[in-house]
Amino acid sequence: MVLDRIWRRGEFCSVFSTTIDGGSNIAIKMLRQNKLSSTSAARDLEFEMHLMSRIHHKHVLRCIGTSVPDAAPDRKIIALQTLQTTLHEALPPPPLADGTSTLARMAALKRWPMSRSLQLSLELAVALRYLHDQCFATYRLLHRDIKPRNLGIMRDGRLVVFDFGISKLVRRSTFSKGSSGEDAEPAIPMTGMVGSLRYMAPE
């Protein structure tokens, strides 16, 4: 298997495009060379491998396969479906950013009618409902880094969630019901400064 080009580069991992089975395009996520000795980077990738191989939903990027858990750091991989684009790349550019002309922005805005925005918003809500309430019987899965760069658009126009490297599993029993019938405060430490600063919840 020849890794053709780097499609995406994160803090710990790079994602390469390649082909299998005589031409099918897939993405390969693996540790960056300068992170091969990082135990935290390897742990995050192993956790993502564990999750992605067990998640099956049309609005979550499909995992095609993973390396064995005890593979050497430079052999740990996740094979994924390829995206058409990310939401970040598909959204209209801000006015005159990076030399974007007014005409180019107007053309981009026409590709984003309210109906498309509402449809993708609904699909994101469906994905998060699945991760929080339906994915695992005894756990809720919190993504913790929802942002346009971690939301993909497939060739059929579907929105998918990906990049679960810093997600967290929380036992359902942690979310106990209060006497008033409303959810009580979860008895778990909610770590600060996790995710992307611009998209973090203010609390």
Side-chain angles (χ1 to χ4, degrees), residues 92 105-113:
R105 177 168 167 77
M106 292 298 292
L109 286 171
K110 287 182 180 179
R111 297 194 295 271
W112 280 93

Side-chain angles (χ1 to χ4, degrees), residues 137-191:
T138 57
Y139 289 91
R140 297 182 188 272
L141 176 55
L142 309 181
H143 186 281
R144 302 206 297 176
D145 199 17
I146 294 294
K147 60 182 180 181
R149 290 183 188 274
N150 288 341
L151 301 174
I153 298 177
M154 305 301 289
R155 285 174 175 78
D156 60 6
R158 234 177 337 121
L159 180 137
V160 292
V161 179
F162 63 96
D163 200 346
F164 288 80
I166 61 172
S167 58
K168 185 171 185 175
L169 288 170
V170 180
R171 285 190 178 276
R172 289 180 179 274
S173 58
T174 306
F175 295 82
S176 58
K177 292 288 185 179
S179 57
S180 63
E182 298 179 354
D183 284 338
E185 287 292 325
I188 55 173
M190 299 302 288
T191 53

Side-chain angles (χ1 to χ4, degrees), residues 13 26 30 43 45 64 110 112 123 127 129 146-147 151 161 165 172 186-187 198 200:
C13 295
I26 64 169
M30 57 194 308
R43 184 178 63 248
L45 183 59
I64 298 169
K110 287 182 180 179
W112 280 93
E123 290 176 2
R129 173 67 184 271
I146 294 294
K147 60 182 180 181
L151 301 174
V161 179
R172 289 180 179 274
R198 182 177 180 182
M200 288 179 188

Side-chain angles (χ1 to χ4, degrees), residues 7 52 55 57-63 80-88 119-128 131 143 145-164:
W7 172 72
M52 293 296 290
I55 298 175
H57 192 271
K58 65 179 181 178
H59 294 303
V60 177
L61 188 64
R62 185 165 65 89
C63 172
L80 301 161
Q81 282 182 302
T82 56
L83 306 169
Q84 180 180 36
T85 187
T86 64
L87 183 60
H88 172 79
Q119 179 62 36
L120 293 181
S121 298
L122 176 61
E123 290 176 2
L124 174 58
V126 169
L128 293 178
L131 296 174
H143 186 281
D145 199 17
I146 294 294
K147 60 182 180 181
R149 290 183 188 274
N150 288 341
L151 301 174
I153 298 177
M154 305 301 289
R155 285 174 175 78
D156 60 6
R158 234 177 337 121
L159 180 137
V160 292
V161 179
F162 63 96
D163 200 346
F164 288 80

Side-chain angles (χ1 to χ4, degrees), residues 11-158:
E11 182 180 356
F12 293 151
C13 295
S14 293
V15 180
F16 297 84
S17 64
T18 189
T19 56
I20 58 170
D21 298 335
S24 299
N25 294 321
I26 64 169
I28 299 292
K29 183 172 184 177
M30 57 194 308
L31 291 173
R32 295 174 61 176
Q33 286 294 316
N34 63 344
K35 296 295 182 180
L36 293 177
S37 60
S38 169
T39 55
S40 61
R43 184 178 63 248
D44 286 353
L45 183 59
E46 288 171 4
F47 181 63
E48 187 170 13
M49 289 164 55
H50 171 81
L51 288 178
M52 293 296 290
S53 63
R54 290 163 173 79
I55 298 175
H56 306 284
H57 192 271
K58 65 179 181 178
H59 294 303
V60 177
L61 188 64
R62 185 165 65 89
C63 172
I64 298 169
T66 69
S67 58
V68 294
D70 58 350
D74 62 340
R75 298 285 181 175
K76 292 183 187 295
I77 66 165
I78 308 175
L80 301 161
Q81 282 182 302
T82 56
L83 306 169
Q84 180 180 36
T85 187
T86 64
L87 183 60
H88 172 79
E89 294 164 340
L91 287 171
L96 304 179
D98 303 323
T100 302
S101 69
T102 301
L103 289 178
R105 177 168 167 77
M106 292 298 292
L109 286 171
K110 287 182 180 179
R111 297 194 295 271
W112 280 93
M114 182 62 73
S115 58
R116 186 184 186 193
S117 301
L118 290 174
Q119 179 62 36
L120 293 181
S121 298
L122 176 61
E123 290 176 2
L124 174 58
V126 169
L128 293 178
R129 173 67 184 271
Y130 168 76
L131 296 174
H132 294 170
D133 296 333
Q134 300 162 353
C135 187
F136 297 108
T138 57
Y139 289 91
R140 297 182 188 272
L141 176 55
L142 309 181
H143 186 281
R144 302 206 297 176
D145 199 17
I146 294 294
K147 60 182 180 181
R149 290 183 188 274
N150 288 341
L151 301 174
I153 298 177
M154 305 301 289
R155 285 174 175 78
D156 60 6
R158 234 177 337 121

